[in-house]
């Protein structure tokens, strides 16, 4: 169940799982209401080009078959198969006649939160959980062959998830939806390929606030993904909206609108969040002086860096390092 949290890649919507009609992508894209779990069942009759969504997707094939086009190449899928697509993974499909599937769209911050609590004894914070998930789930797209009978036991749970999510976000239904999701994950997780991750026995949990990210499960335009790749690939560069827009061949106003629509914040604000993420990693994993680490991620003013870091992580860089070391020493 690859999480693929790095926004430099792209989230996948499989053509197999592309919603249609009333519950289709337009409705999902236009909705401003946030919910970490959305379920839809749909039948696809025509090919769908590879497209990317900013969420983790689980696609359960119920009837028919298709050729899946993703990062693993071209692979056949049929009844009893489950496709896992990490956030920011391109995927498309060519139905062989038609294919019916139920797709679960999972907000990637919600998924990372589950990883954090699942491995709380090993992880320092949710930023650490993101790194851990990237190491653990290195394959962005997988096909799980559960078999028709084993997959069949999931169908009542999937149908209920679809029914509960059609009405939009509802706090009253959240725990039932979460319980159903966890029951599904309990069945499919043993089939997911993972990579062994070595963790120091002294790595233990600490709690740091982290900002929620605005999400809407809509296709990401290639220019938005390209801009994110540029920002993540050179956080230390003195980016401006103009230089970034020039790099992706858009006007600043076009890029700004597209980027906010895709990621919920302007490009420069997104860059600040990336820099905070990288700075937190340096503070956790190295003894590099804080000011040196700030410059390494692209911040040259200590005061500005401290403000931006606190807005994203919830504490100052100095306090963050103190908390990490305190808990590591206590656990040693």
């Amino acid at each position: 169940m690859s999480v693929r949290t790095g926004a430099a890649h792209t989230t996948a919507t499989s053509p197999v799982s592309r919603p249609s009609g009333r519950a289709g992508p337009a409705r999902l894209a236009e909705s401003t209401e946030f919910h970490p779990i959305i379920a839809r069942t749909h039948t696809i009759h025509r090919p769908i080009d590879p497209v990317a969504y900013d969420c983790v997707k689980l696609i359960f094939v119920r009837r028919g078959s298709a050729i899946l086009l993703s990062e693993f190449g071209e692979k056949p899928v049929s009844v009893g198969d489950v496709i896992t697509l990490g956030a920011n993974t391109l995927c498309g499909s060519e139905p062989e006649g038609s294919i019916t599937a139920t797709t679960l769209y999972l907000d990637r911050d919600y998924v990372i939160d589950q990883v954090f609590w699942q491995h709380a004894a090993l992880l320092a914070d949710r930023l650490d959980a993101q790194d851990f998930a990237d190491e653990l789930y290195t394959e962005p797209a997988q096909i799980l062959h559960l078999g028709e009978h084993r997959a069949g036991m999931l169908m009542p749970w999937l149908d209920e998830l679809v029914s509960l999510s059609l009405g939009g976000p509802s706090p009253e239904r959240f725990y039932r939806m979460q319980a159903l999701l966890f029951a599904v994950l309990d069945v499919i997780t043993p089939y997911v390929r993972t990579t062994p991750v070595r963790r120091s026995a002294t790595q233990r949990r600490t709690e740091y606030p982290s900002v929620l990210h605005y999400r809407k499960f809509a296709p990401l335009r290639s220019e938005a993904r390209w801009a994110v790749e540029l920002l993540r690939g050179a956080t230390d560069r003195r980016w401006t909206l103009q230089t970034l827009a020039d790099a992706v061949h858009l006007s600043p106003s076009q890029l700004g609108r597209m980027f906010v629509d895709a990621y919920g914040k302007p490009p420069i604000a997104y860059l600040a969040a990336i820099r905070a993420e990288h700075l937190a990693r340096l503070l956790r994993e190295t003894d590099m002086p804080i000011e040196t680490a700030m410059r390494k991620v692209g911040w040259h003013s200590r005061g500005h860096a401290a403000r931006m870091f606190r807005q994203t992580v919830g504490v100052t860089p100095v306090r963050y390092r103190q908390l990490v070391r305190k808990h590591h020493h206590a656990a040693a």
Side-chain angles (χ1 to χ4, degrees):
M1 184 180 58
S2 175
V3 178
R4 263 310 260 293
T5 56
H9 313 290
T10 49
T11 322
T13 97
S14 146
V16 173
S17 63
R18 192 178 198 178
S20 59
R22 184 172 179 136
R27 292 287 178 181
L28 283 172
E30 292 169 3
S31 174
T32 58
E33 296 179 308
F34 170 79
H35 199 281
I37 308 167
I38 295 176
R40 296 289 186 269
T41 296
H42 33 266
T43 299
I44 303 301
H45 298 277
R46 64 183 188 280
I48 299 178
D49 293 331
V51 65
Y53 279 59
D54 195 24
C55 60
V56 173
K57 294 180 63 180
L58 305 176
I59 306 162
F60 301 80
V61 181
R62 307 181 69 137
R63 285 186 295 276
S65 60
I67 300 299
L68 203 67
L69 316 171
S70 186
E71 296 194 13
F72 41 48
E74 297 184 6
K75 298 287 186 179
V77 292
S78 58
V79 177
D81 288 341
V82 180
I83 300 97
T84 70
L85 298 170
N88 297 302
T89 305
L90 286 169
C91 188
S93 69
E94 296 179 358
E96 297 175 321
S98 66
I99 187 167
T100 300
T102 296
T103 301
L104 302 184
Y105 302 80
L106 308 177
D107 176 79
R108 56 192 178 87
D109 282 343
Y110 172 77
V111 175
I112 289 299
D113 207 44
Q114 308 314 312
V115 172
F116 173 76
W117 288 113
Q118 181 183 7
H119 301 280
L122 297 176
L123 303 175
D125 56 22
R126 285 165 179 80
L127 292 175
D128 196 16
Q130 177 172 308
D131 290 346
F132 181 83
D134 289 340
E135 296 174 45
L136 187 63
Y137 302 110
T138 55
E139 297 185 43
Q142 295 186 34
I143 299 175
L144 315 180
H145 301 292
L146 269 66
E148 188 170 353
H149 294 297
R150 187 175 297 277
M153 67 182 288
L154 304 178
M155 297 310 153
W157 299 337
L158 296 173
D159 288 339
E160 188 175 353
L161 277 167
V162 171
S163 176
L164 291 172
S165 69
L166 281 176
S170 171
E172 292 76 19
R173 297 192 293 264
F174 175 73
Y175 290 115
R176 178 56 183 170
M177 291 187 69
Q178 187 165 254
L180 291 166
L181 172 63
F182 287 179
V184 170
L185 294 179
D186 185 55
V187 173
I188 72 170
T189 297
Y191 292 83
V192 177
R193 293 183 297 276
T194 59
T195 301
V197 177
R198 297 182 64 85
R199 287 266 151 171
S200 165
T202 63
Q203 289 179 293
R204 295 292 185 269
R205 172 173 58 101
T206 57
E207 295 184 2
Y208 307 110
S210 59
V211 294
L212 289 174
H213 296 287
Y214 170 81
R215 303 283 184 226
K216 62 180 184 181
F217 299 152
L220 298 173
R221 285 186 55 175
S222 59
E223 295 91 342
R225 291 171 25 236
W226 185 9
V228 165
E229 289 176 2
L230 291 172
L231 293 176
R232 284 192 170 271
T235 58
D236 58 344
R237 180 174 172 180
R238 294 182 182 271
W239 289 105
T240 66
L241 183 59
Q242 182 67 61
T243 57
L244 186 61
D246 290 343
V248 298
H249 310 303
L250 292 174
S251 71
S253 58
Q254 285 178 312
L255 176 61
R257 287 193 300 270
M258 179 193 308
F259 205 98
V260 170
D261 187 59
Y263 296 106
K265 61 182 67 178
I268 302 306
Y270 192 93
L271 175 61
I274 296 173
R275 284 174 171 168
E277 174 186 323
H278 289 185
L279 180 55
R281 185 177 300 114
L282 291 174
L283 296 176
R284 282 198 313 271
E285 299 177 358
T286 76
D287 293 321
M288 187 181 297
I290 291 177
E291 289 191 14
T292 302
M294 288 175 172
R295 289 193 297 272
K296 188 174 181 64
V297 303
W299 278 321
H300 298 275
S301 165
R302 183 183 178 108
H304 176 71
R307 287 193 300 273
M308 293 297 98
F309 187 89
R310 181 164 189 156
Q311 286 180 15
T312 303
V313 179
V315 294
T316 66
V318 172
R319 182 59 177 155
Y320 183 89
R321 176 167 274 178
Q322 289 173 343
L323 288 170
V324 169
R325 288 180 173 176
K326 175 182 177 182
H327 283 265
H328 283 184
H329 289 321

